[in-house]
Amino acid sequence: MKLVSVYHVDAFTNAPFAGNPAGVVPDAGTLTVPQMQRIANELNLPESAFLMESDRPDADFRIRYFTPATEIDFCGHATVGSTWLLATERGWLEKGRPIVFETNVGLIPVELDSVDGQLRNVTMTQIAPSVREIGVDPEEVARLVGIRAEDMDDRYPMKLASTGGVHLLVPVRTRDAIDRAVPLSSELAALNRKHGITTTHLFTWDAPAGYDLYTRDFAPAIGIPEDPVTGAANGALSGYLALEGMLAKGEVHQLVIGQGHAIGRPGTLHVTVETTGAHPVIRVGGAAHITIAGQLRLGAE
């Protein structure tokens, strides 16, 4: 019988049962891709991360991400959860340097912020953001995500944005409208597959006290009805705000984004958007909490 260490880490929170849960398998080098997919399906968390040695001298680990249904190229909250685990359980905090992950979209360095030897926050620098048009009727998107057409905020363009995965950004006028959203999952999944979209991400500036933006994320095309707190989608959103001129150029902007409140898993993301260079730099940070530690017992293949 093969034993595999596995962890359940709640990301973008410092408490259990909040934020976004990720499975983390820190010693995945001997696992096959089908085994990784079956483990992710068994854990049945939004995403699970599998860590192994990297062939690149400038990376500390190769990391692969799986939903219960499929492999995806990048996942923010599972990166935060993996970093937190390595720093607190595997001695990486004492190394005093960032951890660099090799992902399908490139290298992702993650900085460790500690106070008196205690980890407080981890912050990943995502790949350069991009935005592009999508030829879809906003009223149809409103119907698919389960809000009224008048709930759409026409002050902001609905676009596709990416810092790894592709996210459909849907501007909404109020937090209440976002909280009331009940998506038509099968139809939304079909739209997302047609356009190569990873998640559909609703956002509003009508945020709770202490937050700048409030968001909600649906990803039925990759097997996730709702992703509680999304590092990748909110990174893409932050890049969109910079590229579309909604954040002033030549400055460093600090955003606090809230997500997960609508489904009882509130989380907080701290995003730094640097617009001082030729291209915006997006850094997404947060805390995490290791909620479950155990072993999977794999039978013979």
Side-chain angles (χ1 to χ4, degrees):
M1 181 180 294
K2 183 176 183 178
L3 300 179
V4 178
S5 294
V6 63
Y7 297 82
H8 176 137
V9 186
D10 292 324
F12 297 118
T13 179
N14 55 15
F17 319 127
N20 200 351
V24 180
V25 179
D27 305 302
T30 62
L31 297 176
T32 66
V33 170
Q35 284 176 321
M36 294 181 204
Q37 184 62 75
R38 287 196 291 270
I39 290 170
N41 180 266
E42 180 74 10
L43 295 176
N44 199 32
L45 299 172
E47 285 93 1
S48 293
F50 296 81
L51 279 58
M52 59 209 76
E53 291 184 2
S54 173
D55 295 330
R56 296 187 54 157
D58 50 355
D60 296 302
F61 294 94
R62 173 84 166 97
I63 186 170
R64 299 180 71 164
Y65 311 96
F66 292 80
T67 76
T70 189
E71 183 175 9
I72 60 174
D73 288 334
F74 177 63
C75 174
H77 89 276
T79 303
V80 167
S82 297
T83 303
W84 199 272
L85 173 67
L86 291 170
T88 60
E89 300 285 324
R90 298 292 179 102
W92 277 80
L93 183 60
E94 287 71 32
K95 295 180 184 289
R97 63 174 179 83
I99 301 174
V100 180
F101 293 101
E102 176 197 354
T103 76
N104 287 353
V105 299
L107 296 179
I108 303 293
V110 189
E111 298 179 355
L112 312 178
D113 178 20
S114 63
V115 176
D116 297 328
Q118 297 295 313
L119 188 62
R120 301 296 186 191
N121 204 58
V122 302
T123 303
M124 59 187 149
T125 301
Q126 299 184 356
I127 67 170
S130 62
V131 296
R132 57 187 171 91
E133 303 286 344
I134 179 171
V136 177
D137 182 1
E139 290 192 10
E140 174 65 4
V141 172
R143 184 183 74 84
L144 294 181
V145 300
I147 62 176
R148 300 170 302 187
E150 56 266 32
D151 291 325
M152 298 281 282
D153 193 339
D154 57 10
R155 295 174 297 173
Y156 308 103
M158 185 179 70
K159 289 196 174 182
L160 299 177
S162 176
T163 52
V166 177
H167 306 275
L168 174 57
L169 302 182
V170 181
V172 181
R173 291 190 178 277
T174 66
R175 174 191 176 189
D176 180 64
I178 287 181
D179 284 346
R180 286 189 284 102
V182 181
L184 302 175
S185 292
S186 61
E187 292 184 63
L188 182 60
L191 175 78
N192 287 358
R193 292 190 189 100
K194 178 180 178 180
H195 294 276
I197 295 168
T198 306
T199 78
T200 298
H201 197 61
L202 282 59
F203 73 92
T204 182
W205 292 97
D206 178 33
Y211 296 97
D212 298 298
L213 291 128
Y214 179 73
T215 67
R216 198 169 172 196
D217 194 84
F218 305 113
I222 59 172
I224 307 169
E226 180 164 357
D227 208 356
V229 191
T230 51
N234 283 303
L237 169 62
S238 301
Y240 154 93
L241 295 174
L243 292 170
E244 293 294 310
M246 299 167 204
L247 299 177
K249 292 184 178 180
E251 299 181 15
V252 178
H253 302 270
Q254 304 289 342
L255 300 174
V256 182
I257 302 177
Q259 192 183 336
H261 301 65
I263 55 174
R265 296 196 66 97
T268 302
L269 307 96
H270 298 275
V271 184
T272 301
V273 184
E274 294 184 9
T275 62
T276 54
H279 304 285
V281 177
I282 309 299
R283 296 187 174 92
V284 179
H289 184 277
I290 300 172
T291 304
I292 302 173
Q295 290 184 317
L296 284 171
R297 298 182 177 186
L298 301 185
E301 287 292 304

